[in-house]
Amino acid sequence: MFTTKQFFSYNTLGDKMKVLKNDGKNVVIFLPSSNIFLDRLKREELEEYFRALFLKLEERYGIDQSGFYQIYVYKDSYYGAILEIEEEDIPYLDYMDNEVEMNIHIPKNTNFMYRLEDILDLSEEILSASNLYYYRNKFYLELKKEVSKKNYLRLLEYGELVYGEKIKKIQKSGKLFSYVFCE
């Protein structure tokens, strides 16, 4: 059975972030654009950042994590970053209890899309600043340039963030539409 617990918190900069905990010890963290600093950290600093993050997850949400984790950092210049923290299913010896080992992946050239049921409620500004794909009976919008904060918040309200490997499938197999505004 798959269940998701959802938590909301504020990071050190005061921006809201969302934490999703799936069955087991897998966690997805949605960070706003002010947290895009992750790409500027050196490897040792990244590991220290994630160790501190694990401690915060345990302290604030009761998410106890120990073992070996694959961490994927997906970044987008418009949204920010999404962290996927996946527990590896390898047997750990007792002496390694309460220890965290990690392998951090930061894929290059990542971007996000927004899955939409209907595009009619979107502004002309959003549509003209985007690539629009149709894939498996859903619309997917990929921002190509920045839009006003008001319109971006509307896009977040109506859309669901899509990231990672699914983006490549949509771009490869989806139908790309061109937006033309007629007066």
Side-chain angles (χ1 to χ4, degrees):
M1 177 182 212
F2 179 81
T3 61
T4 300
K5 289 185 182 176
Q6 190 167 266
F7 305 97
F8 291 95
S9 182
Y10 289 88
N11 65 22
T12 56
L13 299 173
D15 294 322
K16 199 166 193 175
M17 68 179 187
K18 181 168 72 170
V19 178
L20 297 176
K21 182 183 184 304
N22 301 329
D23 273 350
K25 295 186 177 184
N26 298 333
V27 175
V28 179
I29 301 173
F30 297 83
L31 298 168
S33 59
S34 60
N35 283 297
I36 205 91
F37 70 91
L38 292 170
D39 60 348
R40 294 190 299 263
L41 295 179
K42 295 182 179 129
R43 180 143 197 89
E44 298 81 29
E45 294 170 323
L46 267 176
E47 289 175 359
E48 200 54 44
Y49 172 81
F50 283 110
R51 280 189 179 87
L53 181 65
F54 282 140
L55 289 174
K56 282 184 183 178
L57 290 172
E58 182 176 358
E59 176 186 309
R60 288 190 180 162
Y61 309 115
I63 300 173
D64 181 30
Q65 295 183 301
S66 60
F68 184 77
Y69 290 88
Q70 297 290 339
I71 300 174
Y72 297 89
V73 180
Y74 299 99
K75 300 176 298 181
D76 179 78
S77 58
Y78 306 109
Y79 178 80
I82 296 177
L83 311 176
E84 276 190 348
I85 303 170
E86 300 174 355
E87 182 181 26
E88 281 291 311
D89 210 11
I90 56 176
Y92 254 69
L93 303 174
D94 288 338
Y95 74 89
M96 296 189 94
D97 206 21
N98 295 327
E99 288 188 22
V100 172
E101 293 294 325
M102 64 191 88
N103 191 6
I104 303 168
H105 308 271
I106 304 177
K108 299 209 183 299
N109 303 322
T110 59
N111 57 345
F112 298 168
M113 286 187 177
Y114 306 84
R115 180 178 29 236
L116 302 158
E117 295 292 326
D118 188 7
I119 60 171
L120 296 177
D121 290 331
L122 298 176
S123 72
E124 177 189 339
E125 179 192 17
I126 292 174
L127 291 171
S128 63
S130 307
N131 283 338
L132 185 64
Y133 292 87
Y134 189 71
Y135 177 72
R136 295 192 175 179
N137 300 322
K138 302 274 188 213
F139 288 102
Y140 294 86
L141 192 131
E142 175 186 31
L143 282 178
K144 291 311 216 174
K145 59 183 178 180
E146 198 166 331
V147 296
S148 70
K149 185 171 183 168
K150 175 186 165 193
N151 281 327
Y152 185 69
L153 291 174
R154 186 176 184 105
L155 178 60
L156 285 175
E157 178 184 351
Y158 285 99
E160 180 183 330
L161 274 172
V162 178
Y163 59 94
E165 291 298 315
K166 189 164 189 179
I167 299 288
K168 291 177 186 169
K169 290 178 186 175
I170 294 167
Q171 290 172 330
K172 182 180 177 187
S173 302
K175 181 163 176 66
L176 178 63
F177 286 93
S178 295
Y179 174 76
V180 179
F181 181 70
C182 300
E183 289 187 43

